[in-house]
Amino acid sequence: MQHLSPPDASRFADALLALCRQRLRYQPTFAIAELWAASLLKAPPGGLPGFDPLDAAPMLPHIYILEREGDALRYRVSGESVNELFGSSHTGKLLSEVVPPGIYSLVAPYFREVFALKACIFKGHVIHSGHSAAEFERLLLPVRRNETLQLLGVLSLSTTSRLRTDDAAPAPVENGFHFTQIGLSDGTVTETHIPLRDLPVEDLPFKEHVRLLGHREITQGVSQKGSETVC
């Protein structure tokens, strides 16, 4: 298993929480950030936080856990809210089986880099039946579970999650995907924005389960037909 180096748990915890205070808007995502930081302070020197889903029982509907299998990532846990959004249970499935190919090639590197000890905040919008354009917010974190390095993810939706009661971050102004990464070994923060025009909407089939697209101006006709879309 990889280790944090140097083993300054307090500094890493403070750096992550400072970034999350600036960027996160919703209570479930921020609650997991706080839990992760507190667990890091209790971890062995140079180690990662251990994680048991039962330690985050109130957040269970919002979390998912992925395990690495070579270059592939497999869901080991998938919460009820995550499953409801996509209309099926992810547990046991590969990430590549859940996310359409055109979008997978864009987002998978950010998931994989969690295993290189980089935390990631991933934002965009969800368009699905009953909602015009819901905002989503994901936090991806490295954790120690069953003595292996795994990815802990948490998903907040503006339609089902409460805003933070303190100073919640502002919503993204630009359409598309927004990624903010922090290297847990050195604290380096990188920002990436994939604009709407660069999302491969044309590659995605129109079918009943959730589809990953760009934003409302592309999907107005689709959403009016009751289809479900994630961007």
Side-chain angles (χ1 to χ4, degrees):
M1 181 189 299
Q2 290 181 274
H3 296 280
L4 299 174
S5 177
D8 188 348
S10 179
R11 179 165 63 89
F12 298 140
D14 289 347
L16 178 76
L17 280 180
L19 181 66
C20 288
R21 288 190 185 99
Q22 293 174 3
R23 304 301 171 86
L24 295 181
R25 290 170 48 74
Y26 295 96
Q27 289 184 10
T29 22
F30 191 69
I32 292 296
E34 290 184 310
L35 176 63
W36 187 93
S39 299
L40 180 60
L41 297 178
K42 302 174 185 176
L48 287 166
F51 183 77
D52 183 334
L54 295 180
D55 294 337
M59 299 296 109
L60 277 177
H62 304 278
I63 68 171
Y64 49 96
I65 295 174
L66 293 169
E67 186 175 62
R68 183 169 55 182
E69 296 182 358
D71 287 336
L73 299 174
R74 188 179 297 278
Y75 285 90
R76 292 305 180 193
V77 174
S78 185
E80 184 178 323
S81 292
V82 180
N83 294 336
E84 284 181 357
L85 175 63
F86 287 84
S88 64
S89 174
H90 294 355
T91 302
K93 294 181 180 178
L94 295 175
L95 183 65
S96 59
E97 295 175 319
V98 173
V99 181
I103 298 296
Y104 178 81
S105 65
L106 295 177
V107 304
Y110 296 94
F111 282 73
R112 291 194 192 103
E113 287 185 356
V114 172
F115 293 88
L117 304 185
K118 291 184 179 181
C120 182
I121 297 169
F122 173 23
K123 296 185 177 185
H125 289 83
V126 178
I127 301 175
H128 59 102
S129 56
H131 304 291
S132 57
E135 180 186 351
F136 79 77
E137 177 177 89
R138 295 178 183 265
L139 178 63
L140 312 177
L141 296 165
V143 293
R144 175 175 47 83
R145 184 168 178 263
N146 300 326
E147 299 306 315
T148 62
L149 175 60
Q150 298 187 1
L151 181 157
L152 168 63
V154 55
L155 170 67
S156 292
L157 290 173
S158 59
T159 52
T160 57
S161 301
R162 292 184 178 181
L163 285 169
R164 288 167 50 197
T165 55
D166 52 354
D167 295 329
V173 175
E174 297 178 287
N175 298 337
F177 289 168
H178 300 261
F179 300 92
T180 303
Q181 293 176 289
I182 180 169
L184 299 175
S185 61
D186 58 11
T188 300
V189 175
T190 57
E191 304 271 1
T192 305
H193 172 228
I194 303 178
L196 172 64
R197 64 179 178 274
D198 292 340
L199 296 177
V201 176
E202 68 281 355
D203 293 340
L204 305 178
F206 290 155
K207 43 192 174 182
E208 292 183 2
H209 65 276
V210 171
R211 292 182 288 277
L212 292 164
L213 296 182
H215 204 298
R216 73 180 72 186
E217 57 263 39
I218 281 184
T219 58
Q220 276 180 338
V222 178
S223 61
Q224 288 169 0
K225 297 175 183 176
S227 59
E228 300 178 340
T229 320
V230 176
C231 63

